Amino acid sequence: MKKALQFGAGNIGRGFLGQLFFESGYATTFVDVTQPLIDALNARGGYPIRILGDHPETLLIENVRALNSRDVDAVAQSLAESDLAATAVGVNVLPRIAPAIAAGIERRFESADHKPLNIIVCENLLDAGPILREHVQGHLPHRFHGVLEEHVGFVEASIGRMVPVMNDVMRAEDELLIGVEAYCELPVDKAGFRGPIPTIKNMQPRENFSAYVERKLFVHNAGHAVTAYLGYHKGCEYIWQAIADEAVRAEVDAAMSESCAGLVRKHGMDVAALEAHKNDLLRRFANRQLGDQVERVARDPIRKLGSRDRLVGAALMCLNQGIAPEHLAFAAAAAIRYDHPADPAAQQIQELFRKDGLASVLRAFCGIQPESELGTLIAAGMSQLEREKWVR
């Protein structure tokens, strides 16, 4: 049986990639840091996935085992023997898994009898593949640098499946149960592969992949974030409640439409296809069965307000294409005013906002000048929040 090594056994690792690997005939080894989860996966050799929607369905994912990421020797050996690998660990964790990946590459390619290795990088980060490659190269002896470039593919992916935090009822039912939406497509960068492209169910190798990365970040992630931040200011607990609010939905639709217009001009993407994608996302955001919480989607506004991320990044892309991102700027203002008491990043923004005002927040967290076109639009969004009584 073919072997896959999956770094990260969380929402996307188990709730998406694990399913695709199993349904494609792979035995999957998960690498994680949570020992009780590792023990449970090893004891049972599988776990259930529940497709949440109007007609729920539960699938059993089998041929599974798990390793602790601290056991670098075991992880490296598993990588050396795998047909395919993937990551879904979060952008901040990529540097931590690089040493084990480097050690596995050394073992795999120490002899001339080897196959290319492809690592599908499933992180919400522009240029995630090159970034992980650079981290790995830093841990490799110089004699392996050519091998890394020629025989190891760092394949960027666009993750669209939504996987909410499990509620208490589902956790009580089964500690390994994970709930997901039905959407199950995996666009990947065709140019990132080394050697033959493996056959994985629902994997879609794409040309001009940067367009799909930006579509995910600036349409899907941006729309999700707009829903969360405006929903928070409306007092909503769940994403489905927020998108059901007419004022919130109108702003989400308008912000996503700005991003779509920018992508059409920048990448020549099909207008009708983008419109259909946007409308499908609005439908998926309304899925009550997911129970996706506003607080989860809004978490860490510092990252989400970054100059290359979903709100400010999308707005800057639009401006570069000659489109005024008024609704994206309004959403960025809502994110700046997001003040959930249990979110340290939100409280950090609020402290600077109270002390030094919007201009300092724009410079420190958004990477833009307050007198810039986008800075001016965000300031107008701030006034709109207060004028229309969005902020409490």
Side-chain angles (χ1 to χ4, degrees):
M1 180 174 283
K2 295 176 291 186
K3 298 178 181 178
L5 185 68
Q6 171 60 46
F7 290 89
N11 285 1
I12 298 302
R14 276 188 298 136
F16 184 33
L17 297 165
Q19 177 188 348
L20 296 187
F21 292 149
F22 171 66
E23 293 179 348
S24 303
Y26 285 77
T28 302
T29 299
F30 288 97
V31 178
D32 206 90
V33 294
T34 308
Q35 194 60 47
L37 172 61
I38 293 166
D39 293 340
L41 288 171
N42 284 328
R44 291 165 54 177
Y47 61 92
I49 285 180
R50 182 160 299 156
I51 310 299
L52 301 171
D54 294 335
H55 305 286
E57 176 188 7
T58 301
L59 311 173
L60 180 60
I61 308 304
E62 299 179 296
N63 300 322
V64 163
R65 70 184 187 110
L67 297 170
N68 194 305
S69 61
R70 298 181 184 90
D71 190 347
V72 174
D73 185 71
V75 174
Q77 186 61 37
S78 183
L79 182 65
E81 298 170 354
S82 292
D83 297 283
L84 182 67
T87 79
V89 296
V91 296
N92 295 330
V93 181
L94 288 178
R96 301 180 201 169
I97 65 173
I101 293 175
I105 288 170
E106 282 194 61
R107 292 191 187 189
R108 185 184 188 93
F109 295 102
E110 61 187 356
S111 69
D113 184 21
H114 58 70
K115 295 179 181 179
L117 174 66
N118 288 299
I119 303 172
I120 302 175
V121 186
C122 304
E123 312 293 344
N124 274 327
L125 176 69
L126 294 175
D127 300 321
I131 288 170
L132 180 56
R133 180 187 293 277
E134 184 177 350
H135 285 308
V136 171
Q137 181 171 298
H139 295 278
L140 275 174
H142 189 269
R143 63 190 178 92
F144 284 98
H145 287 188
V147 168
L148 184 71
E149 180 60 36
E150 295 176 19
H151 299 292
V152 183
F154 290 83
V155 183
E156 294 184 65
S158 176
I159 303 299
R161 172 173 269 185
M162 292 184 284
V163 186
V165 175
M166 294 301 95
N167 59 41
D168 292 339
V169 173
M170 294 182 73
R171 280 194 293 266
E173 178 182 345
D174 188 327
E175 63 179 337
L176 290 182
L177 176 63
I178 192 160
V180 302
E181 67 166 339
Y183 182 89
C184 199
E185 297 177 5
L186 180 63
V188 295
D189 181 10
K190 185 176 181 179
F193 287 96
R194 299 295 185 266
I197 297 177
T199 301
I200 303 294
K201 182 178 179 180
N202 293 342
M203 186 175 79
Q204 303 169 347
R206 302 283 195 182
E207 307 280 1
N208 188 24
F209 187 68
S210 61
Y212 290 91
V213 173
E214 292 194 350
R215 187 189 76 166
K216 169 57 169 48
L217 191 60
F218 296 157
V219 180
H220 184 160
N221 292 138
H224 218 194
V226 177
T227 307
Y229 292 120
L230 293 179
Y232 174 79
H233 292 303
K234 285 281 188 175
C236 299
E237 181 180 359
Y238 295 103
I239 291 296
W240 67 262
Q241 292 173 327
I243 205 66
D245 182 284
E246 288 185 9
V248 172
R249 187 184 179 93
E251 283 295 331
V252 174
D253 193 330
M256 292 167 75
S257 292
E258 289 173 347
S259 287
C260 288
L263 292 173
V264 168
R265 290 192 183 181
K266 181 176 181 181
H267 296 291
M269 299 184 81
D270 183 79
V271 175
L274 277 174
E275 179 73 10
H277 180 62
K278 181 199 72 174
N279 290 335
D280 184 56
L281 285 167
L282 289 169
R283 178 190 61 80
R284 289 160 58 195
F285 292 165
N287 186 347
R288 294 189 181 205
Q289 301 303 317
L290 283 177
D292 209 357
Q293 295 179 318
V294 164
E295 179 187 350
R296 184 196 75 81
V297 179
R299 188 177 304 148
D300 192 6
I302 288 178
R303 178 167 63 89
K304 291 165 185 173
L305 283 165
S307 62
R308 300 187 71 203
D309 214 282
R310 61 209 69 192
L311 296 176
V312 174
L316 290 171
M317 182 271 293
C318 286
L319 283 171
N320 287 336
Q321 301 305 316
I323 295 165
E326 296 175 0
H327 298 279
L328 286 164
F330 178 63
I336 291 170
R337 294 298 298 271
Y338 175 69
D339 61 356
H340 196 288
D343 190 321
Q347 291 306 306
Q348 190 176 342
I349 293 174
Q350 298 315 300
E351 182 179 356
L352 184 61
F353 183 70
R354 287 191 297 266
K355 180 182 176 184
D356 295 326
L358 176 62
S360 292
V361 171
L362 294 177
R363 292 190 185 98
F365 299 120
C366 304
I368 62 174
Q369 295 301 317
E371 65 274 12
S372 67
E373 186 173 357
L374 181 54
T376 302
L377 287 172
I378 293 175
M382 281 288 181
S383 298
Q384 182 183 348
L385 283 171
E386 296 173 359
R387 184 175 65 254
E388 297 180 357
K389 296 182 169 48
W390 288 82
V391 290
R392 297 192 292 275

